[in-house]
Each structure stands twice: as structure tokens, then as C-alpha cells.
Amino acid sequence: MTRRFTVCAGVFCGAVLYFTVWETSHRRWTSHEASWPLPDFGGRHNSVPSPRRWLGIGELVPQVVVDPSRQYEAETFAAIKRVYHCLANYEDCAERPEGNVVIVAYEHFWRTTSGNTGGEIIWCESLLTAFKGLGYSVLTATNVDMALFLYRLFPDLVRVVIMQFLPNLNSNFVATCFNDRFCIRSAKNPTGIAPWKIFGFSFWETGGNSLEYQHPWGTSRVLSPYRFPKHYYIGYAISHHCTKTPVIAPENRTNQAFILAKESSYFYDDQDKLAFPLDAYTTITRQTGIRVVTVAKETIGQPIPGGVEKRGQLTREDFYEELSSSKILIGIGRPFLSPSPFDALCLGVPFVNPYNATRIKSMDEIRSGDIWNPFSLQHGALAELRPPFVYHVPMGNTSALVAAVREADQNPIRGRGLPQEMWMESLMERVKELVEVTDWEERAREEELL
């Protein structure tokens, strides 16, 4: 017990020193280019900190100051203390929830408290909610050196390391670590990160381009929000947010259709992506009596089209209120793969999903290559859904758009229409499969990757 306590105390103090040195060096965690100046333990990243070297620095604890604007730092420090407490008090710490350590090194994980509501932020926030709901200890790193340091605090407890995976090699943490002999575990570097624990993380489908080859073990080790071919589907959830807003009975809703758009430029997109003519929206109101509204930000030289009422920018909660009172959400080609259509379904509001009729002759016979192609379909994850939940409308066909709006008004969704896989309980099951159930080392050996 004494020895275990000493080791744990060493780890804890090491973490304290980690944060203290970082703060006193006046380097922000958000610096991508600068490597964190790790303590010198006898070789670049190549020695495990000895507990004895951490002893005697407990007096540094009161000096640890976390910038309130960088909440992930405070949460990482709290998680390290939680793991330390687990190791110090439980022989079976590795079997306890907090003994499942997950390291995340991806830009949008550390921006989940920024107030941004982009798709990547929503994805990361839902995963963090699942991790914490399962009791896992989540450590956030903003560069590869920090991920390596955090990994070495609890190498046997770290289950997965989720790393940034972007085309730019300077920000592709997966490639950086695999190509760094001091980062990746090997016979000469036994304290590096075990390669079978490293997963790329991409909101976009990566097959068919050079990005696919930047993870040495292929796209099966790239976590994705949707069921992209050959990727590891982890998905996301929105039920923990959208269900806070009650479903409004169809007869009590405002007589309006909501346009999904971040900017007015979306109405003027390239011809291959332009969903509907600019006069389509006045036609909707004239033929159905349903007015059309949007919260799109107006860009210079590209005004909101006539017939579309402009709403101001909304918080997430206000967005839910406005959406829940609408009769239908209309997609206009962009944003591609947005979570918002699922928000709508959760609130009992159907979605118009535009598709390119020159590429897709029939939604019942869609080719797999078109499902995730932004020039073919706005939202591939909705390709299998049909009315009253999703109306697939040919781009440029105003008559079909008007017919979809009219049918949605006459045959509304009753209750919530959110697919089961978008509920938090389903996400947690997938996360458990990734973190706890699958033996990734064994899988790597079966696939002859080791």
C-alpha cells in the first residue's frame, strides 16, 4: 500500500508540475506549433518520470492557476486527480470507470465551451458527455507532446488516444506521432504511445483522397460521425439537448417553414450545389400560405432572397424554440452533413433533403458513391428515411419543393422522430465498445498490423 501510494503521489505531483511549468512559461495550451517544454528526464521524451523525482514538489499545488476561459485545463487537472485517487485507494482501479482514461487531442474538443455550435463542436461535445456519463477520465491535449506526456502518466490505464486528423501534416497529430520515433511505442521506445490505441478523428468522409493514407493503419482507425464506408462509426447524440425542448402539437405551430442556412451566400451557391431558384420561396408562400424564415447571416452583395423573412442570430436554446414552432426545415444544399436536421426530427419537424437529379435518378436506387457526395445529396445520413420524416426533393424543382411543404403541413410527424442511433444511450453503447470491449492490440495482431 505504501509503495502504491508513493507511486500515485509521484504521478499526481508530476501532473501538478506539468500544469505549473506550462503556466509559468506563459505558453498557452492552444499553441499548435510550439511543443510543450517537457521536463528533462534524460532524453527527449524517452524516459518515464521517476516518482522520486516528483517528491518534494507538493508545495507547488497552490500555485497552479487555470485560466477560466480554458475550461478543458481545469477538467483535465481534475481528471488526473481522480485517477490518482483511484490508484491510491483501489487495487482494482483499472476495472473502475475512472480507470478508463481517454486522451483527446483534437481542436474541437477543447473548444466545446466556446459557444460555437458547428457540427464538429456538437460531435465532440456529445462524445465528451458520453465519456463523462460512463465515468471515464478524459484528458485533453492540444499538441502531440502534451498527448505523449499525459499518456505516460497512466500508460496502462489509457484505453484510446483520439487525435486530430487533418490534411495539413502540421496539424495531423496521427501522422506526427507515428512518424516520430520518440512518440510511437517501439522496441527502442517502450514508453511511447501504443499504436493500437491511436485513432484519427474526422467529421468528413476520407475515402478516395490523400487524407485516407495519412493514418498508417487505414480508415478503419478513423472515428466518424456518420456511417462512412470503411471508417469506424462512433456517431454522436443530440437527445441530451433537443429533448429539453417540448414537442409542439402540429396544430399549435407557427405557420412557417424554416430555411437551414448559416449565411445568405448559401442561396447563391455554385450551380452544382444550388438547391432551388431564388423565387422558390415566394412561390411556397403564395401556393401554401406558409411563410418562409431563416437565421442566415447576410453577406455583402448576397441579400436574403425575396419572400424569406430574416430572424436574428439565435442561441442554441432559442434555435430549438424557433425550430420546434416550424412546420418543416428546408435544406438548400448547404451546410453539408449538419446535425440540424436531426434536431428538427427530435422536435417532430420534418426535413427537405435536396438531391441532384442529374446524379441520382431515384432515391430508391442511390449509388453508395453518391450518398456522401456533397454535389449529389445534402445529407447522406438521411438517405434511407422517407416521409413524414424526410422529403427528398430534386434540386431546382420548385413544384416538388412546394408539394413537400404542403404534404408536411397536412401529414405532420406526431411526437419525436429522432433515429435511435442519435440518442445518448445508443452513443454510450458504441463508446463502451470502443473503449472497454474491443481488444485493439489483439485486433491489430489479427490484422497483421503488429
Side-chain angles (χ1 to χ4, degrees), residues 7-54:
V7 172
C8 294
V11 169
F12 175 67
C13 292
V16 171
L17 181 61
Y18 168 69
F19 285 99
T20 303
V21 172
W22 182 260
E23 289 295 331
T24 56
S25 67
H26 303 291
R27 294 179 184 235
R28 287 184 63 88
W29 272 37
T30 48
S31 173
H32 294 189
E33 281 124 32
S35 296
W36 182 72
L38 296 176
D40 183 6
F41 292 107
R44 182 180 181 274
H45 316 325
N46 208 34
S47 299
V48 178
S50 167
R52 291 185 178 181
R53 300 201 182 192
W54 295 123

Side-chain angles (χ1 to χ4, degrees), residues 99-111:
N100 292 300
V101 178
V102 175
I103 296 176
V104 294
Y106 179 81
E107 179 178 1
H108 293 94
F109 276 113
W110 63 81
R111 293 187 176 178

Side-chain angles (χ1 to χ4, degrees), residues 245-309:
T245 301
V247 175
I248 298 176
E251 57 272 17
N252 295 330
R253 289 182 181 164
T254 304
N255 198 36
Q256 69 179 31
F258 195 108
I259 295 287
L260 174 60
K262 294 181 179 180
E263 302 174 0
S264 63
S265 61
Y266 290 9
F267 290 98
Y268 302 85
D269 216 331
D270 298 335
Q271 191 61 39
D272 283 343
K273 291 184 180 179
L274 184 62
F276 305 109
L278 294 179
D279 62 359
Y281 312 106
T282 56
T283 302
I284 289 175
T285 303
R286 185 176 65 252
Q287 294 190 13
T288 68
I290 297 173
R291 67 178 187 271
V292 181
V293 303
T294 187
V295 294
K297 181 180 179 181
E298 195 156 354
T299 51
I300 297 176
Q302 297 175 315
I304 300 293
V308 179
E309 299 178 19

Side-chain angles (χ1 to χ4, degrees), residues 10 15 77 97 109 118 152 157 159 212-213 224 294 301 322 406:
F77 188 59
F109 276 113
R152 284 178 167 168
L157 297 182
R159 309 305 182 194
E212 176 181 7
Y213 305 104
S224 65
T294 187
E322 186 75 22
R406 182 179 289 115

